[in-house]
Amino acid sequence: MSVLIKNGRVITATDDYFADVYIEGESVAQIGKNLAVDADEVIDATGRYLFPGGIDSHTHLDMPFGGTTSADDFESGTIAAAHGGTTTIVDFAIQTKGESTLKGLDTWHEKAAGKSTIDYGFHMIVTDMPVERLDEMNRLADEGVTSYKLFMAYPGVLYVDDGTLYRAFRRAGDNGTRICMHAENGIVIDEIIREAVEDGKVDPKYHALTRPTRMEAEGVYRAIAIAEVANVPLYIVHLSCSDALEEVKRARMRGVDVMAETCPQYLFFDQSIYEKENFEGAKYVMTPALREKWNQDVLWDGLKFGHIGNIATDHCPFCFKDQKQLGRGDFRKIPNGAPGVENRMSVMYHGAVVQKRLSLNRFVEITSTAAAKTFGMFPKKGTIAVGSDADIVVFNPDRREVISTKNEFTHHMRVDYSAYEGYEIQGWSEIVLSRGRVMVRDGSLETRGGGQFIKRAREGELLR
Ligand code: URP
Ligand code: ZN
Ligand code: ZN
């Protein structure tokens, strides 16, 4: 099968030019002006941008959490992602405490295999790591799982102590992989929560009020210090606030290999949303919590100047009707997480490019290229280049949509609300190709399934 995309404006993290792109099989075979080739299919991309397929390196599909399971599985979640211009995800497999991480990996392979419509990789959530099992981390890396997430939050669930952090960090530093860190001081936060609940403070807004930004900043500081001593590259997930970003900046200034991810929700929403009536604030209960509004400008500046290097969604949807309700009358029981995998490219394009905060190249970098480079998928993923996978979004920069569960063009996630309900965006993924196959065209799914597991490379290695 061959596809010729004609007259598009090719945007990568570094380039911006008009060209035809010729795809043979699964990869890009030629790029040039007026290519004289015959193709099985010709797509006219006049007036459209060609972006490398979006990469969302932080999703939680089919994840047991908070007494329930995230509402999207690998089938629905990856179809929704494809509709939104994302052609690769890196999801989080979980190790059951006391069991092998490799067993956790098998479980996630079973969840995804044959169901995923787009390509996927896994990080491994490490919930314990005694010395005698450290070699598992090498085996994971051999299996293409070259990053691990550890938690300072959620004591009694996913939390690990500093000794475990150090052990895992050391091994990751030795075996050429990367640590992803959920950095919040969960031990102190749990005390603050206890005090609040004793005072009868149980509404959703107390989720935010019991998680001070300083406790996120402390976690970031501590993770950086441990990573520095252990000599491992560090990636702070879902960084939400100025206080935490200050710690990242300080460390980068002294040459520590740390980068930060933020998520669209921290750029577009603030903690006042928790005041919504009828328990609707629960829709936005996620961790870290939404912050005071002024943090948003600081995060946008972080993206502009490079202190924040990547945008991922932390897509972790729970239905309002029967899952978020678990926490009515006790915010501690609201399953933490919100949907977003389908909306990331559009809301970021709108906020970054249409609203003139970031350049087109930087938009591509933070929605695709940086994740590919950071997580061992470049240059197979994350760019449009000869030899790269033909993961391409034909993007209409003028198309406007109002995001809504009722809008067939903006909502395919299996969750009964949209975090962005009523939000008007400009810029829409019109045709989405994954390894040369048209997945989505004008809002219709043309190809279902066929997503492949990506065996990711170690730090500094290229994936071809
Ligand atoms: O609220 C969130 N973020 N849920 C998913 C788990 C995590 O901490 O990433
Ligand atoms: Zn987290
Ligand atoms: Zn997460």
Side-chain angles (χ1 to χ4, degrees), residues 26 74-75 78-79 82 86-89 109 111-122 381 389 391 434-435 437 439 447-455:
E26 299 194 342
F74 278 83
E75 187 177 3
T78 59
I79 287 173
T86 287
T87 54
T88 301
I89 55 168
H109 273 306
K111 286 174 188 275
K115 275 191 156 185
S116 189
T117 279
I118 58 173
D119 291 348
Y120 58 95
F122 295 128
K381 307 286 188 194
D389 279 0
D391 296 354
S434 165
R435 280 182 287 104
R437 302 161 303 152
M439 313 303 292
T447 311
R448 179 185 286 267
Q452 290 179 357
F453 174 67
I454 305 164
K455 245 181 136 174

Side-chain angles (χ1 to χ4, degrees), residues 58 60 65 92 125 149-151 153-154 158 181-184 237-238 287-288 314:
H58 189 154
H60 300 280
F65 196 51
F92 288 87
I125 290 179
K149 182 178 180 188
L150 292 100
F151 288 77
Y154 311 126
L158 299 170
M181 194 70 227
H182 182 132
E184 273 187 305
V237 294
H238 48 45
T287 303
D314 195 6

